[in-house]
Amino acid sequence: MSPNSNNVLSDSQEGRGDKPYTVLVEGNIGSGKTSFLNYFSQFKDVETLAEPVDKWRNFKGFNLLELMYQDPHKYSLMFQSYVQLTMLDHHVKPSSAKVKIIERSLYSARYCFVENLRQKGYMDGAEHAVISEWYDWIFDKLDLTVDLIIYLRTSPVIASARIQRRSRNEENKIPLEYLQGVHNLHEEWLIKKKCPVPAKVLELDANQDPEALLKDIKKCQDQIIPGIS
Ligand code: DGT
């Protein structure tokens, strides 16, 4: 894949039927993924799929996100299991758009969040083995083709300050140490490539204020949504 070339859209779609050019937006909690998606939602040939947080906060009347943060020992596996279903739905959702931008992915759910919960002792060995087996099956059998990964790289301290400012009820007690764990695992995956990385990674400095980040995004726009203006 060569995101700099103008005909990358047709190159990458060759042999993939009608599959859109697929971009994942990755980064810690509070890194600015929502603003990134909001910017690209203005383009008519681009479909943006925001992370289904609202579904997680109200699934048949249960706030799964709150349960996970309140009692992670008890609810981490339950939460990851629903995250997995909703993320899988985004990966396989057909789209008539030329470019599909997905907030987060099954990859970060597995390599960053599940691993963090395991490392912190919130998931035991049996739970981790079962969910890992599901991921192995999904990655092996289903077409989760990705063309580009955007990494909104943020320091955990800055992410923490933003989370406190936006004060989502469920998140008001996330310790810095949890964010540090999620950050380290993003770094191991996307920078050190210790886990499989399914596409080229474009890293953006998301420590900057939103205006400066938007300028950087606009500079890379042709790589992110090739062939679309
Ligand atoms: P942004 O716009 O970069 O600030 O993104 P957020 O914070 O709106 O969205 P995000 O993806 O960081 O996640 C929303 C909440 O869901 C946050 O509390 C972290 C949590 N979350 C997202 N994916 C997972 C996951 O796979 N596992 C766990 N345990 N939590 C997750």
Side-chain angles (χ1 to χ4, degrees), residues 153 184 186-195 197:
R153 202 174 184 191
N184 292 347
H186 275 85
E187 295 282 300
E188 285 183 10
W189 173 42
L190 295 174
I191 303 290
K192 298 178 193 152
K193 316 249 190 283
K194 288 192 178 165
C195 303
V197 181

Side-chain angles (χ1 to χ4, degrees), residues 109-150:
R110 179 182 196 176
Y111 300 137
C112 305
F113 283 91
V114 167
E115 273 323 298
N116 192 43
L117 294 167
R118 173 73 187 123
Q119 286 179 8
K120 299 266 178 294
Y122 296 137
M123 244 187 220
D124 68 25
E127 291 173 322
H128 183 257
V130 168
I131 199 152
S132 297
E133 191 78 354
W134 269 106
Y135 278 114
D136 286 342
W137 190 92
I138 290 168
F139 290 174
D140 184 44
K141 306 273 190 230
L142 304 182
D143 177 9
L144 305 179
T145 310
V146 174
D147 297 285
L148 179 67
I149 299 176
I150 307 297

Side-chain angles (χ1 to χ4, degrees), residues 12 17 22 37 50 74 88 108 152 161 163 184:
S12 75
T22 301
L37 254 75
K74 185 168 176 188
L88 180 56
S108 47
L152 297 181
I163 293 166
N184 292 347

Side-chain angles (χ1 to χ4, degrees), residues 25-36 51 53 56 65 68-69 76 79-80 83-84 87 103-105 108-110 112-114 116-117 135 152 154 162-163 166 168 170-171 174 178 182:
V25 188
E26 302 285 3
N28 209 339
I29 307 165
S31 56
K33 299 177 295 298
T34 307
S35 312
F36 183 97
E51 201 173 38
V53 184
W56 305 344
L65 185 66
M68 187 270 300
Y69 280 126
S76 284
F79 183 70
Q80 287 309 142
V83 165
Q84 195 170 319
M87 289 308 314
E103 182 178 8
R104 284 253 172 81
S105 65
S108 47
R110 179 182 196 176
C112 305
F113 283 91
V114 167
N116 192 43
L117 294 167
Y135 278 114
L152 297 181
T154 322
R162 288 183 188 150
I163 293 166
R166 81 177 170 204
R168 215 181 246 156
E170 298 85 349
E171 296 176 341
I174 299 182
Y178 184 92
V182 174

Side-chain angles (χ1 to χ4, degrees), residues 57-79:
R57 297 171 97 185
N58 185 3
F59 173 68
K60 300 182 191 272
F62 298 104
N63 187 336
L64 309 184
L65 185 66
E66 184 173 56
L67 289 171
M68 187 270 300
Y69 280 126
Q70 277 176 354
D71 192 346
H73 286 103
K74 185 168 176 188
Y75 291 116
S76 284
L77 179 63
M78 173 281 292
F79 183 70

